[in-house]
Amino acid sequence: RMRRWPTITARSSLFRLFARRGSSMPFAEETKLLKNPAPALRHDSICSTIGSTPLVKLQRSAPPGVNIYVKSEFMNPMGSVKDRLALGMIEFAEQHGLLKPGQTVVEATSGNTGLGLAMVCASRGYPFVCVMSEAFSIERRKMMRFLGAKVVLTNPAHKFGGMLQTLLALKEKHGWYWPNQFENEANAWVHRQTTGPEILQAMEGLKLDWFVCAYGTGGTIKGVGQVLKDKSPHTKVLLCEPSNAPVVYSGIKTEYTTDGSITKESHPVFRPHLLQGWTPDFVPKMVEDSTEQGAHRT
């Protein structure tokens, strides 16, 4: 048998009772509140909000005697570390005459770099075209289009090589600017300028034993790794990838052609995995550079 709701008169009486009880205790305005120590600043552009993300200590996930800090890159405006990459590549291209005012920017991406570039390009006045596989998330496509970008989808069966061939065809046909995130040294440069120094500043006075990082383009692992090798040489760098796609761990390198495009064949040990944006089906050049500089692989 269903319970009946109290009558209007009964509900009104209950409300008056709760209201009287609440008002009998004065509100304690002086109650202590944990506040973010970072200042609330005024920005003239969304681009200046990129970076300076906090290091947060994991309170209950680390084993006893081990301190683990997480660099909270999700606090960048479009939610990932790739915002840094997008700003770095565009600013480098602007300052070195590689990108003309109003020129269209085109890039192949699983989505996070595309989101960052869509935001930066919208802010700076550049049209942006993203080439991505249909296998990647619909939410990223919607967000890029919301920011004014155009999204060109490719067949998932052709993997990253298919995305790249479509990009090169569009670039040659229209004269668009291609940052080439996988080989652009500005990718690692922005992390040498920002991410690496931020980590050292936040960890000042503490021993940093390991820096653990996954990879997409390899810019973070290369740039931060170079800073740590110079300023904190005792810190070991650990490169991670999915267990079912140990592309770097296999030791088999990717052969690149003279135009910067990769071989049409996928890496022989690559298998599809659940981590979108991590571990493509080839070894990025910057990842190869990092392993040659001493990064550990797992």
Side-chain angles (χ1 to χ4, degrees), residues 58-165:
L58 299 183
Q59 298 289 346
R60 296 179 175 84
S61 300
V66 177
N67 294 320
I68 298 179
Y69 293 85
V70 177
K71 186 71 167 155
S72 304
E73 290 299 291
F74 64 87
M75 296 182 72
N76 284 307
M78 295 311 298
S80 85
V81 68
K82 295 301 181 68
D83 289 2
R84 297 178 187 259
L85 154 65
L87 180 63
M89 292 194 305
I90 295 300
E91 289 214 329
F92 189 89
E94 288 176 336
Q95 295 177 38
H96 292 273
L98 304 174
L99 179 59
K100 302 173 184 177
Q103 186 178 9
T104 296
V105 176
V106 61
E107 186 57 277
T109 165
S110 65
N112 282 337
T113 298
L115 286 170
L117 281 170
M119 174 190 64
V120 174
C121 287
S123 175
R124 299 290 177 91
Y126 302 108
F128 174 60
V129 176
C130 173
V131 179
M132 67 186 297
S133 165
E134 289 181 348
F136 298 131
S137 70
I138 295 175
E139 292 79 9
R140 292 173 181 172
R141 299 181 215 168
K142 290 181 177 179
M143 282 297 296
M144 281 187 278
R145 287 168 175 153
F146 176 77
L147 290 167
K150 293 183 179 180
V151 180
V152 177
L153 300 176
T154 63
N155 190 330
H158 299 156
K159 302 187 177 68
F160 186 82
M163 293 163 56
L164 193 58
Q165 295 307 314

Side-chain angles (χ1 to χ4, degrees), residues 183 256-261:
E183 295 189 54
Y256 287 83
T257 59
T258 55
D259 65 356
S261 61

Side-chain angles (χ1 to χ4, degrees), residues 9 43 60 70 83 153 187 211 218 263 269 272 276 284-285 287 290 295:
T9 304
H43 294 263
R60 296 179 175 84
V70 177
D83 289 2
L153 300 176
N187 184 347
F211 171 68
T263 177
V269 304
Q276 289 191 26
K285 188 175 184 303
V287 173
S290 298

Side-chain angles (χ1 to χ4, degrees), residues 231-282:
K231 303 295 184 181
S232 182
H234 65 275
T235 303
K236 297 180 178 65
V237 177
L238 182 62
L239 179 69
C240 299
E241 56 188 351
S243 59
N244 66 325
V247 176
V248 176
Y249 191 78
S250 70
I252 302 173
K253 297 183 178 181
T254 292
E255 298 294 331
Y256 287 83
T257 59
T258 55
D259 65 356
S261 61
I262 62 169
T263 177
K264 294 182 180 179
E265 297 181 358
S266 293
H267 194 281
V269 304
F270 177 82
R271 298 293 181 271
H273 55 82
L274 298 177
L275 304 175
Q276 289 191 26
W278 285 7
T279 310
D281 62 322
F282 62 98

